[in-house]
Amino acid sequence: MKKLPEDRIRVHDRMFRPYISQSEIDDMVGQIATRINKAYAGEELTVLVILKGGILFASDLVRKITVPVSIEFTRASSYGDGMTHSGTTRIDGLTGDISGRNVMIVEDIVDSGTTLRELVKHISGLAPKSITITALLSKPDVHKDSITIDYVGREIAPDFVVGYGMDYAGYGRQLDAIWVVCDDETT
Ligand code: 5GP
């Protein structure tokens, strides 16, 4: 049996190598929170967490936000069990009243931008006061939809990542750092 390099992990049936450390994530979240606190001084915010991937990012982010915050959840499913977009985005579960609110969508990672486009379209119909988008990561090289991300932690190459809320085939969300797929187990 091949011995794995110690900095590689297996998630389900694929190998991943370290990509963004826990302390880098902390810095990114802190910087985003600082900008949000400044921009929303004197206002209230409704943080709309996109499940499931946005859960860890949002839970760290809201604890650093100093303006009054309410939290809502919605579910956006598009990746099925694998690493590629299924082509359709299903949005459901948003039950709270967001009319007249400053809604901040919190997304783990933006790939094609289709999920956000669909979500913004949906939310726009619910009469919010404003809509902004916060994403921990973004892959600008593969954005298909022109989408403005107001607060982004880091722009990355179009590689598949896992951890800090993001899964591969349902696994890996609990990892406290972010890992990128690597096919060669020996490098
Ligand atoms: P989009 O609609 O922008 O193409 O895809 C956004 C959603 O796809 C994200 O919320 C996330 O669930 C998933 N996604 C996109 N890229 C990745 C990735 O590299 N890793 C994981 N785990 N999920 C991703």
Side-chain angles (χ1 to χ4, degrees):
M1 195 168 77
K2 237 189 242 176
K3 188 172 181 308
L4 298 177
E6 280 172 12
D7 61 351
R8 303 292 190 266
I9 57 166
R10 184 187 299 278
V11 177
H12 190 48
D13 57 0
R14 300 294 292 267
M15 299 306 299
F16 292 79
R17 62 178 167 78
Y19 194 53
I20 304 176
S21 70
Q22 197 178 357
S23 71
E24 288 174 297
I25 294 171
D26 283 347
D27 286 349
M28 280 153 55
V29 177
Q31 282 168 20
I32 291 172
T34 301
R35 292 177 58 204
I36 290 171
N37 289 332
K38 209 168 155 196
Y40 285 90
E43 297 273 341
E44 292 191 9
L45 199 54
T46 294
V47 166
L48 178 59
V49 186
I50 307 187
L51 298 173
K52 298 175 185 175
I55 183 85
L56 297 198
F57 173 39
S59 68
D60 283 343
L61 184 66
V62 292
R63 282 178 285 177
K64 291 179 171 27
I65 292 180
T66 50
V67 301
V69 165
S70 60
I71 304 178
E72 299 292 343
F73 297 94
T74 189
R75 175 99 193 260
S77 335
S78 52
Y79 265 48
D81 273 350
M83 292 189 181
T84 49
H85 201 289
S86 64
T88 55
T89 303
R90 196 190 138 110
I91 292 166
D92 46 24
L94 175 55
T95 51
D97 181 8
I98 57 167
S99 65
R101 307 279 311 175
N102 292 312
V103 176
M104 172 169 290
I105 299 170
V106 175
E107 168 78 304
D108 50 357
I109 183 165
V110 183
D111 186 283
S112 66
T114 304
T115 303
L116 283 176
R117 189 200 59 204
E118 294 297 315
L119 197 57
V120 167
K121 199 160 66 176
H122 182 73
I123 292 168
S124 301
L126 303 175
K129 182 176 175 187
S130 66
I131 303 175
T132 46
I133 295 172
T134 298
L136 184 70
L137 302 176
S138 172
K139 303 178 187 173
D141 293 349
V142 287
H143 287 188
K144 277 197 210 127
D145 298 292
S146 86
I147 194 110
T148 303
I149 307 172
D150 302 275
Y151 304 97
V152 60
R154 185 180 292 185
E155 293 186 339
I156 63 167
D159 298 317
F160 190 83
V161 297
V162 77
Y164 197 62
M166 294 171 280
D167 75 310
Y168 167 53
Y171 298 98
R173 293 191 197 276
Q174 84 284 9
L175 297 165
D176 52 20
I178 295 171
W179 300 70
V180 64
V181 72
C182 65
D183 290 325
D184 182 353
E185 296 190 2
T186 60
T187 57

